[in-house]
Amino acid sequence: MSAETSVPRPRESGVDISDSALLKGLLSEAEFAFAFFDAEGRVHRANDVFADVVSVPLDRLVGRRPMEALPADLSQLITHAVQAVIETDAPVTEGRVRVRSADGDTRHWSLSFSPVHDEDGALRAVALVGTDVTESRQTEEELRRSEERYRSLVEAQSQLVWITSPTGAVIEDAPQWRAITGQGLEEYLAHGWLDAVHPEDRRQTEEAWREALRGRTMFEWNYRVRTRASGYRYFEVRAVPIIRHGRVVEWVGANTDVTPQKEAEEMRGRLTDQLGAAALRTARLQGATAQLAEALTVEQVVQVIIDVGRTALAADRSAVALLDHERASLKLINGEGIPEIPGAPGEEIPLSHASVMTMAVNSRRPVFAESPESLKEQLLEAGGDEEGLNAYLANSDERAWVGLPLLAAGRALGALRFSFTRPQKISQEDGVFLEALAGQCALAVERATLFEREHKTAETLQRSLLPDRLPVVKGLTLAQRFRSGSRHVQVGGDWYDAFVLQDGRVAAVVGDVMGKGVKAAAGMGRIRNAMRALALTNPPPASVLTGLDRVFEATEEEEQVTTLAYMVVEPGTGEGTLALAGHPPPVLVSPQGRAVLCDAEPGTPLGWSTSRRQFRFVVPPGHTAVLYSDGLVENRKRGLDAGLAELCSVVTEAPPEVVTNPHMLLDFLVDRMLSGYEQDDDVTVLAIHVPPATKSDGMKQS
């Protein structure tokens, strides 16, 4: 019998958990990227996955610091993370990098850094673990794009979006809807959108809505909606149920304002019914409508109204006044429409003052005065001053008057006044014609007001996105000129930019986003900001254009066309590189006034599948490179080839003092190239001038 009483030792597996073979197997078999860094920040050990991620063989990694073996951006990220772990003895949870695999695909990796301690708790190493998050990144990007498309679609279509519960109850705010209807939040949540529907349309609308709720079918309807100004506008609505797992979780609806179309339809109906026998009047009205449709600004609309009054009505005078709601008065647009005689109203007519136009606005009805006696009777009944009225009639040669309110969806915009130097009989057909004319004029005034507002907004947006000033760099002189198209043309997407890169070189670009208005200006802003970010990260022109192609495909519409010329130049020497994306070539101007067009490959507009190339482009001391938009060389009467030839010819005509001064040179080029042509597009010009080397410069260099 043994006297051994100790507890038996547990059975061992025979495998040491610290065995290097286990670590080696883990590093080689895992799908994750592993790397260990010593206290000096050197790579102590790594697996093949990590080597593939950084595109550097293992034998070139081990024993080296990241900055000695990896690209600058990646080494900087890893070095900072490792240093942070060493200094804080705490993990750095995540760092994201984007790498290109051997087959050309872009992959996204999430990197985590953790401290590794020995048995005594001392820091022995920093462990890096990398996870491929490409699929999750793509999913996030797709979700973001989907949300952006949804928002863009809603904004582009000017729709009012609202959401209800499965039973049709309002559960979320709809700011756009309340901005139109004037409903408060509590009122909207309590009574919903049906409370703003016209009483005559509400019962049928509610029945159709309940039927859609019961059948879980699409709800399509149209009705009038009470606006904040107590008028009504026509809306078309479409709502769909959102169904998950066989149950309706909510309803999403979108309302579209169709008031202009509805009013146009109603007006055409009235013209068909009431003016069928008046062929001449119909032709005159159609002519006026066509002219009003072409008028873009309020000034142009007023001129059309004056012409129509003279030709279609044989009126001796025509006046247009717009309503100022805040001052409760009419502001006369064309002063010559009312004679300057005693008793006549001035340029600002209070609504409390009795006149043909104020009566029309206050009553929302046409006013016809076929004789001085009829005018006096109506104005005295409206509270007019008899003494002033007698003075006016005694000094005026007018003998008949027509006042027409300008109404849009029941809302007064202003009034028209036509006067005749002879008594005028206003027939029922004349009244119908004048009402229809006033309706068309009101639509034209409303459209012109919106156009001028959008033009101003787009112009402000476009100018706010352009740089306030160009950088001041020793050894380089920059100059720019930007001339917007005529004020009757919507602003476009021309832009320019120049900025200093991290290595001291200067990036210069001129681009053109095709199109007009706010949309083009906003697109210009997106491309300009993306280009700056790409250039400051990886400045070579070919790389920047390649990155812009990807941005363009992700953010812009397929039919959008955007071109640009981008160059990087070194101050003093003028050494640089250039890349074109479907843009006209730069012109190089010598101190002697010779012009040479760059023969670099023009390339394709942004977003087109192509391999981007860059070219050496030198601006020798004393020379000036000029980048420009197509508005400088191309217009309706001059093709691109002819414009480029003319540009080179104009340069040779510049005086010596102009050629050597980039500011004067740009003024000269713009004035001469636009002379004799109607400007129908924005003109953007950017000059990069390298001053000639001086004797003192040579001494400093030696």
Side-chain angles (χ1 to χ4, degrees), residues 98 117 137 139 142 198 223 239 260 311-312 339 345 421 440 450 535 564 610 614 687:
R98 182 178 62 184
H117 304 91
R137 181 65 177 266
T139 301
E142 290 173 0
H198 193 288
Y223 45 72
T311 58
T421 56
Q440 291 289 346
L450 292 175
L564 61 83
T610 183
Q614 63 187 33

PDB file of all heavy atoms in Angstrom, residues 98 117 137 139 142 198 223 239 260 311-312 339 345 421 440 450 535 564 610 614 687:
ATOM      1  N   ARG A  98      -8.781  52.329 -46.880  1.00  0.00           N
ATOM      2  CA  ARG A  98      -9.260  51.847 -48.176  1.00  0.00           C
ATOM      3  C   ARG A  98      -8.037  51.433 -48.984  1.00  0.00           C
ATOM      4  O   ARG A  98      -7.097  52.210 -49.138  1.00  0.00           O
ATOM      5  CB  ARG A  98     -10.033  52.944 -48.908  1.00  0.00           C
ATOM      6  CG  ARG A  98     -10.612  52.498 -50.246  1.00  0.00           C
ATOM      7  CD  ARG A  98     -11.396  53.626 -50.879  1.00  0.00           C
ATOM      8  NE  ARG A  98     -10.552  54.772 -51.152  1.00  0.00           N
ATOM      9  CZ  ARG A  98     -10.975  55.922 -51.631  1.00  0.00           C
ATOM     10  NH1 ARG A  98     -12.260  56.085 -51.876  1.00  0.00           N
ATOM     11  NH2 ARG A  98     -10.145  56.917 -51.868  1.00  0.00           N
ATOM     12  N   HIS A 117       0.400  42.383 -22.984  1.00  0.00           N
ATOM     13  CA  HIS A 117       1.203  42.459 -21.772  1.00  0.00           C
ATOM     14  C   HIS A 117       1.835  41.103 -21.457  1.00  0.00           C
ATOM     15  O   HIS A 117       1.307  40.046 -21.844  1.00  0.00           O
ATOM     16  CB  HIS A 117       0.357  42.904 -20.577  1.00  0.00           C
ATOM     17  CG  HIS A 117      -0.334  44.204 -20.793  1.00  0.00           C
ATOM     18  ND1 HIS A 117      -1.616  44.312 -21.333  1.00  0.00           N
ATOM     19  CD2 HIS A 117       0.073  45.486 -20.572  1.00  0.00           C
ATOM     20  CE1 HIS A 117      -1.972  45.561 -21.397  1.00  0.00           C
ATOM     21  NE2 HIS A 117      -0.971  46.313 -20.947  1.00  0.00           N
ATOM     22  N   ARG A 137     -19.610  48.405 -45.714  1.00  0.00           N
ATOM     23  CA  ARG A 137     -19.407  49.769 -46.215  1.00  0.00           C
ATOM     24  C   ARG A 137     -20.251  50.010 -47.463  1.00  0.00           C
ATOM     25  O   ARG A 137     -20.863  51.077 -47.619  1.00  0.00           O
ATOM     26  CB  ARG A 137     -17.924  49.973 -46.521  1.00  0.00           C
ATOM     27  CG  ARG A 137     -17.570  51.375 -47.027  1.00  0.00           C
ATOM     28  CD  ARG A 137     -17.813  52.430 -45.974  1.00  0.00           C
ATOM     29  NE  ARG A 137     -17.398  53.729 -46.446  1.00  0.00           N
ATOM     30  CZ  ARG A 137     -16.192  54.237 -46.214  1.00  0.00           C
ATOM     31  NH1 ARG A 137     -15.319  53.565 -45.500  1.00  0.00           N
ATOM     32  NH2 ARG A 137     -15.859  55.434 -46.676  1.00  0.00           N
ATOM     33  N   THR A 139     -22.992  48.463 -48.194  1.00  0.00           N
ATOM     34  CA  THR A 139     -24.396  48.534 -47.765  1.00  0.00           C
ATOM     35  C   THR A 139     -24.723  49.923 -47.228  1.00  0.00           C
ATOM     36  O   THR A 139     -25.773  50.512 -47.554  1.00  0.00           O
ATOM     37  CB  THR A 139     -24.663  47.479 -46.689  1.00  0.00           C
ATOM     38  OG1 THR A 139     -24.380  46.176 -47.220  1.00  0.00           O
ATOM     39  CG2 THR A 139     -26.122  47.534 -46.240  1.00  0.00           C
ATOM     40  N   GLU A 142     -24.941  52.307 -50.158  1.00  0.00           N
ATOM     41  CA  GLU A 142     -26.177  52.145 -50.922  1.00  0.00           C
ATOM     42  C   GLU A 142     -27.361  52.765 -50.188  1.00  0.00           C
ATOM     43  O   GLU A 142     -28.234  53.389 -50.809  1.00  0.00           O
ATOM     44  CB  GLU A 142     -26.428  50.655 -51.180  1.00  0.00           C
ATOM     45  CG  GLU A 142     -25.439  50.038 -52.172  1.00  0.00           C
ATOM     46  CD  GLU A 142     -25.596  48.534 -52.282  1.00  0.00           C
ATOM     47  OE1 GLU A 142     -26.474  47.992 -51.569  1.00  0.00           O
ATOM     48  OE2 GLU A 142     -24.865  47.909 -53.072  1.00  0.00           O
ATOM     49  N   HIS A 198     -60.809  71.519 -49.321  1.00  0.00           N
ATOM     50  CA  HIS A 198     -61.975  72.374 -49.593  1.00  0.00           C
ATOM     51  C   HIS A 198     -63.255  71.646 -49.152  1.00  0.00           C
ATOM     52  O   HIS A 198     -63.419  70.441 -49.411  1.00  0.00           O
ATOM     53  CB  HIS A 198     -62.032  72.697 -51.089  1.00  0.00           C
ATOM     54  CG  HIS A 198     -62.981  73.802 -51.429  1.00  0.00           C
ATOM     55  ND1 HIS A 198     -64.346  73.661 -51.389  1.00  0.00           N
ATOM     56  CD2 HIS A 198     -62.754  75.088 -51.826  1.00  0.00           C
ATOM     57  CE1 HIS A 198     -64.926  74.783 -51.744  1.00  0.00           C
ATOM     58  NE2 HIS A 198     -63.974  75.674 -52.011  1.00  0.00           N
ATOM     59  N   TYR A 223     -57.834  67.313 -55.272  1.00  0.00           N
ATOM     60  CA  TYR A 223     -58.736  68.163 -54.512  1.00  0.00           C
ATOM     61  C   TYR A 223     -58.100  69.535 -54.331  1.00  0.00           C
ATOM     62  O   TYR A 223     -56.923  69.742 -54.619  1.00  0.00           O
ATOM     63  CB  TYR A 223     -59.058  67.550 -53.147  1.00  0.00           C
ATOM     64  CG  TYR A 223     -57.866  66.989 -52.407  1.00  0.00           C
ATOM     65  CD1 TYR A 223     -56.910  67.825 -51.833  1.00  0.00           C
ATOM     66  CD2 TYR A 223     -57.698  65.615 -52.276  1.00  0.00           C
ATOM     67  CE1 TYR A 223     -55.812  67.315 -51.155  1.00  0.00           C
ATOM     68  CE2 TYR A 223     -56.607  65.086 -51.597  1.00  0.00           C
ATOM     69  CZ  TYR A 223     -55.674  65.947 -51.033  1.00  0.00           C
ATOM     70  OH  TYR A 223     -54.589  65.436 -50.368  1.00  0.00           O
ATOM     71  N   ALA A 239     -50.924  58.108 -52.472  1.00  0.00           N
ATOM     72  CA  ALA A 239     -50.453  57.505 -51.226  1.00  0.00           C
ATOM     73  C   ALA A 239     -50.409  55.994 -51.390  1.00  0.00           C
ATOM     74  O   ALA A 239     -51.287  55.403 -52.033  1.00  0.00           O
ATOM     75  CB  ALA A 239     -51.358  57.890 -50.059  1.00  0.00           C
ATOM     76  N   PRO A 260     -51.378  75.566 -61.629  1.00  0.00           N
ATOM     77  CA  PRO A 260     -51.227  76.174 -62.961  1.00  0.00           C
ATOM     78  C   PRO A 260     -51.861  75.337 -64.072  1.00  0.00           C
ATOM     79  O   PRO A 260     -52.523  75.884 -64.955  1.00  0.00           O
ATOM     80  CB  PRO A 260     -49.700  76.268 -63.128  1.00  0.00           C
ATOM     81  CG  PRO A 260     -49.166  76.307 -61.734  1.00  0.00           C
ATOM     82  CD  PRO A 260     -50.071  75.420 -60.950  1.00  0.00           C
ATOM     83  N   THR A 311     -52.604  96.659 -79.398  1.00  0.00           N
ATOM     84  CA  THR A 311     -52.970  95.969 -80.637  1.00  0.00           C
ATOM     85  C   THR A 311     -54.308  95.243 -80.550  1.00  0.00           C
ATOM     86  O   THR A 311     -55.143  95.349 -81.456  1.00  0.00           O
ATOM     87  CB  THR A 311     -51.869  94.965 -81.016  1.00  0.00           C
ATOM     88  OG1 THR A 311     -51.694  94.026 -79.949  1.00  0.00           O
ATOM     89  CG2 THR A 311     -50.556  95.669 -81.263  1.00  0.00           C
ATOM     90  N   ALA A 312     -54.543  94.498 -79.470  1.00  0.00           N
ATOM     91  CA  ALA A 312     -55.759  93.684 -79.375  1.00  0.00           C
ATOM     92  C   ALA A 312     -56.953  94.468 -78.863  1.00  0.00           C
ATOM     93  O   ALA A 312     -58.091  94.199 -79.258  1.00  0.00           O
ATOM     94  CB  ALA A 312     -55.504  92.482 -78.467  1.00  0.00           C
ATOM     95  N   PRO A 339     -51.932 109.217 -66.875  1.00  0.00           N
ATOM     96  CA  PRO A 339     -51.475 110.592 -67.148  1.00  0.00           C
ATOM     97  C   PRO A 339     -51.188 111.355 -65.856  1.00  0.00           C
ATOM     98  O   PRO A 339     -51.864 111.161 -64.840  1.00  0.00           O
ATOM     99  CB  PRO A 339     -52.649 111.205 -67.914  1.00  0.00           C
ATOM    100  CG  PRO A 339     -53.840 110.393 -67.504  1.00  0.00           C
ATOM    101  CD  PRO A 339     -53.329 108.999 -67.300  1.00  0.00           C
ATOM    102  N   PRO A 345     -53.846 109.249 -59.504  1.00  0.00           N
ATOM    103  CA  PRO A 345     -53.052 108.592 -58.450  1.00  0.00           C
ATOM    104  C   PRO A 345     -51.578 108.586 -58.809  1.00  0.00           C
ATOM    105  O   PRO A 345     -51.198 108.669 -59.978  1.00  0.00           O
ATOM    106  CB  PRO A 345     -53.629 107.166 -58.419  1.00  0.00           C
ATOM    107  CG  PRO A 345     -54.195 106.952 -59.790  1.00  0.00           C
ATOM    108  CD  PRO A 345     -54.706 108.298 -60.239  1.00  0.00           C
ATOM    109  N   THR A 421     -59.423 107.020 -75.204  1.00  0.00           N
ATOM    110  CA  THR A 421     -59.721 108.449 -75.342  1.00  0.00           C
ATOM    111  C   THR A 421     -61.080 108.677 -75.994  1.00  0.00           C
ATOM    112  O   THR A 421     -61.390 109.799 -76.411  1.00  0.00           O
ATOM    113  CB  THR A 421     -58.635 109.139 -76.183  1.00  0.00           C
ATOM    114  OG1 THR A 421     -58.535 108.467 -77.456  1.00  0.00           O
ATOM    115  CG2 THR A 421     -57.293 109.087 -75.462  1.00  0.00           C
ATOM    116  N   GLN A 440     -54.240  84.983 -67.980  1.00  0.00           N
ATOM    117  CA  GLN A 440     -52.947  84.651 -68.571  1.00  0.00           C
ATOM    118  C   GLN A 440     -51.850  85.592 -68.056  1.00  0.00           C
ATOM    119  O   GLN A 440     -50.714  85.165 -67.788  1.00  0.00           O
ATOM    120  CB  GLN A 440     -53.035  84.737 -70.095  1.00  0.00           C
ATOM    121  CG  GLN A 440     -53.893  83.652 -70.735  1.00  0.00           C
ATOM    122  CD  GLN A 440     -53.227  82.296 -70.658  1.00  0.00           C
ATOM    123  OE1 GLN A 440     -52.045  82.194 -70.363  1.00  0.00           O
ATOM    124  NE2 GLN A 440     -53.974  81.245 -70.915  1.00  0.00           N
ATOM    125  N   LEU A 450     -41.364  84.179 -59.880  1.00  0.00           N
ATOM    126  CA  LEU A 450     -40.640  82.986 -59.429  1.00  0.00           C
ATOM    127  C   LEU A 450     -39.313  82.841 -60.163  1.00  0.00           C
ATOM    128  O   LEU A 450     -38.296  82.451 -59.577  1.00  0.00           O
ATOM    129  CB  LEU A 450     -41.505  81.740 -59.643  1.00  0.00           C
ATOM    130  CG  LEU A 450     -42.747  81.627 -58.753  1.00  0.00           C
ATOM    131  CD1 LEU A 450     -43.574  80.414 -59.161  1.00  0.00           C
ATOM    132  CD2 LEU A 450     -42.359  81.530 -57.290  1.00  0.00           C
ATOM    133  N   ALA A 535      -7.703  66.663 -54.564  1.00  0.00           N
ATOM    134  CA  ALA A 535      -6.419  67.280 -54.903  1.00  0.00           C
ATOM    135  C   ALA A 535      -5.529  67.426 -53.672  1.00  0.00           C
ATOM    136  O   ALA A 535      -4.311  67.234 -53.746  1.00  0.00           O
ATOM    137  CB  ALA A 535      -6.652  68.642 -55.556  1.00  0.00           C
ATOM    138  N   LEU A 564     -13.876  69.853 -67.315  1.00  0.00           N
ATOM    139  CA  LEU A 564     -12.951  70.717 -66.578  1.00  0.00           C
ATOM    140  C   LEU A 564     -11.534  70.555 -67.119  1.00  0.00           C
ATOM    141  O   LEU A 564     -11.194  69.555 -67.760  1.00  0.00           O
ATOM    142  CB  LEU A 564     -12.985  70.434 -65.071  1.00  0.00           C
ATOM    143  CG  LEU A 564     -12.607  69.051 -64.542  1.00  0.00           C
ATOM    144  CD1 LEU A 564     -11.100  68.900 -64.392  1.00  0.00           C
ATOM    145  CD2 LEU A 564     -13.253  68.830 -63.172  1.00  0.00           C
ATOM    146  N   THR A 610     -13.222  55.867 -68.734  1.00  0.00           N
ATOM    147  CA  THR A 610     -12.015  56.133 -69.510  1.00  0.00           C
ATOM    148  C   THR A 610     -10.811  56.069 -68.585  1.00  0.00           C
ATOM    149  O   THR A 610     -10.940  56.183 -67.366  1.00  0.00           O
ATOM    150  CB  THR A 610     -12.087  57.524 -70.172  1.00  0.00           C
ATOM    151  OG1 THR A 610     -10.923  57.728 -70.978  1.00  0.00           O
ATOM    152  CG2 THR A 610     -12.162  58.611 -69.128  1.00  0.00           C
ATOM    153  N   GLN A 614      -2.471  62.324 -67.782  1.00  0.00           N
ATOM    154  CA  GLN A 614      -1.974  63.657 -67.500  1.00  0.00           C
ATOM    155  C   GLN A 614      -0.750  63.939 -68.369  1.00  0.00           C
ATOM    156  O   GLN A 614      -0.067  63.023 -68.824  1.00  0.00           O
ATOM    157  CB  GLN A 614      -1.629  63.813 -66.021  1.00  0.00           C
ATOM    158  CG  GLN A 614      -0.502  62.901 -65.536  1.00  0.00           C
ATOM    159  CD  GLN A 614      -0.332  63.001 -64.026  1.00  0.00           C
ATOM    160  OE1 GLN A 614      -1.291  63.195 -63.302  1.00  0.00           O
ATOM    161  NE2 GLN A 614       0.901  62.899 -63.563  1.00  0.00           N
ATOM    162  N   ALA A 687      -6.014  82.916 -65.280  1.00  0.00           N
ATOM    163  CA  ALA A 687      -4.650  83.058 -65.800  1.00  0.00           C
ATOM    164  C   ALA A 687      -3.639  82.634 -64.746  1.00  0.00           C
ATOM    165  O   ALA A 687      -3.774  82.978 -63.565  1.00  0.00           O
ATOM    166  CB  ALA A 687      -4.389  84.501 -66.213  1.00  0.00           C
TER     167      ALA A 687
END
